[in-house]
Amino acid sequence: MTFDFTGKKVLVAGGSRGIGRSIALGFAAGGAAVSICARNAAGLEATRAEIAAHGVNAHALPADLANQAQIEAWVAAAAAALGGVDVLVNNAGIAHIGNLGSTSPADFDRLFAVNVKGLFLCSQAALPKLIEDGGGSILNMCSVAATIGIPDRFAYSMTKGATLSMTLSIARDYVTQGIRCNCISPGRVHTPFVDGFLAKNYPGQEQEMFEKLAATQPIGRMGTPAEIAEMAYFISSDAGKFITGSNFTVDGGFSGIKM
């Protein structure tokens, strides 16, 4: 952690575990006041306590990313608790395995509601607070799936393509009001989701499949949540104040190196 966020007010959607948790804790370590939301109340409170252990203002509120009223309530409560909003990190999202033929309309709607509409609702709710405070940063968690065809990720890839497009649109529309908007596109990152996915789909073969997935990245391993978080800090800090409308790929060479 090399960035000073003292006095900054940071909101992290999906901040209870994985990449979101790592991002939230790093901002707190840098001195920021942090609010997080997620659906899992128990996990949310556990992470809030970890944030508070850094001696900063820590706030959390359970919220469903697809529920407009809950998201608006979270942003309003967070802004009141922290004293404003300087940074919004849209990290929350869900995955799905399936191609065009096997993806049901219900699955399609479910992913769109969380990954696309959820990002829209969080950004729209935070927008007046960011403008009121003189500008700030919106950082969206995208994916290499937004720009590369990945097998059996039809609906998920669709939502990440939308994430990239929304990032560019927000950056263009609000640049004159001091709001920067960027996104990070990770490759495979070792999170609780990966462990759960392997346990569900490959019982007894978890280690073998983990190694196969890790090997798809030229660097030879999956990333860690902390490595994605480091990029988030740079983009959101004063060191990144000349950056907007950009997509940062952090994928161990997956999208740029052919082996």
Side-chain angles (χ1 to χ4, degrees):
M1 183 68 215
T2 57
F3 298 103
D4 183 6
F5 292 109
T6 303
K8 297 295 185 181
K9 290 84 67 178
V10 179
L11 276 60
V12 182
S16 65
R17 65 175 191 166
I19 294 173
R21 172 182 171 275
S22 188
I23 288 173
L25 291 175
F27 273 116
V34 180
S35 176
I36 57 176
C37 80
R39 289 182 296 178
N40 185 325
L44 196 66
E45 175 54 30
T47 301
R48 189 207 64 79
E50 290 183 89
I51 294 169
H54 287 285
V56 300
N57 190 349
H59 175 266
L61 189 68
D64 182 343
L65 268 291
N67 187 304
Q68 182 177 358
Q70 291 183 20
I71 291 303
E72 290 177 348
W74 169 57
V75 172
L82 306 185
V85 179
D86 295 306
V87 177
L88 169 67
V89 180
N90 286 310
N91 173 77
I94 56 177
H96 177 260
I97 307 300
N99 57 27
L100 173 62
S102 63
T103 299
S104 70
D107 287 331
F108 185 95
D109 290 344
R110 179 173 58 89
L111 262 74
F112 190 91
V114 175
N115 295 2
V116 181
K117 186 178 179 181
L119 189 157
F120 157 69
L121 292 175
C122 287
S123 300
Q124 189 175 67
L127 180 63
K129 307 294 184 183
L130 289 163
I131 293 175
E132 183 180 308
D133 285 354
S137 170
I138 297 175
L139 179 61
N140 300 322
M141 198 57 59
C142 195
S143 168
V144 293
T147 55
I148 294 177
I150 297 177
D152 293 321
R153 297 295 188 278
F154 169 71
Y156 179 76
S157 297
M158 174 274 300
T159 65
K160 293 306 178 179
T163 295
L164 177 55
S165 295
M166 283 194 289
T167 297
L168 300 177
S169 184
I170 293 169
R172 179 63 186 87
D173 287 342
Y174 294 96
V175 65
T176 59
Q177 291 175 274
I179 294 175
R180 300 185 296 109
C181 188
N182 298 283
C183 60
I184 297 175
S185 286
R188 287 194 171 99
V189 178
H190 189 190
T191 65
F193 168 80
V194 171
D195 294 332
F197 168 78
L198 293 176
K200 178 182 178 180
N201 294 281
Y202 302 98
Q205 299 177 284
E206 290 91 342
Q207 187 59 38
E208 176 187 351
M209 292 306 300
F210 180 88
E211 292 174 359
K212 285 184 177 180
L213 291 175
T216 63
Q217 295 173 133
I219 209 166
R221 63 174 176 84
M222 292 190 189
T224 67
E227 288 171 323
I228 307 304
E230 288 291 343
M231 178 61 79
Y233 307 143
F234 170 69
I235 297 169
S236 304
S237 73
D238 287 343
K241 62 186 178 181
F242 194 59
I243 301 171
T244 192
S246 295
N247 176 28
F248 292 84
T249 302
V250 185
D251 66 356
F254 179 81
S255 60
I257 299 175
K258 304 303 179 184
M259 301 295 285

